[in-house]
Amino acid sequence: MPKQSTRHSYKSRRERNDIAERRFKQILFFAVLIGILLLLRNWREYYNYFSTYFNGL
């Protein structure tokens, strides 16, 4: 049986999917965190908009 090359790191499909899932979760977490921070930063604008928009309902 030939020796596996040491220059390449061969990963199984499961290992590649685990890495992709971890990266996706990290990106999603930071996107949600940034969204929450933007909402907190501009909460008066959003409150005024929604209070005006839903005032006549």
Side-chain angles (χ1 to χ4, degrees):
M1 178 179 278
K3 182 180 175 188
Q4 185 175 5
S5 173
T6 57
R7 296 179 67 189
H8 301 286
S9 59
Y10 296 100
K11 297 180 180 173
S12 68
R13 182 185 300 256
R14 179 183 177 129
E15 290 171 330
R16 287 193 310 258
N17 287 340
D18 286 343
I19 292 170
E21 181 183 0
R22 190 174 341 119
R23 288 180 182 162
F24 174 76
K25 286 180 181 179
Q26 288 174 344
I27 291 170
L28 183 65
F29 172 75
F30 284 111
V32 168
L33 184 65
I34 289 171
I36 290 172
L37 290 176
L38 288 174
L39 282 173
L40 290 175
R41 182 176 159 207
N42 300 322
W43 71 271
R44 286 188 188 102
E45 295 177 21
Y46 296 116
Y47 175 76
N48 290 334
Y49 172 77
F50 285 116
S51 64
T52 303
Y53 182 75
F54 291 112
N55 194 19
L57 296 180

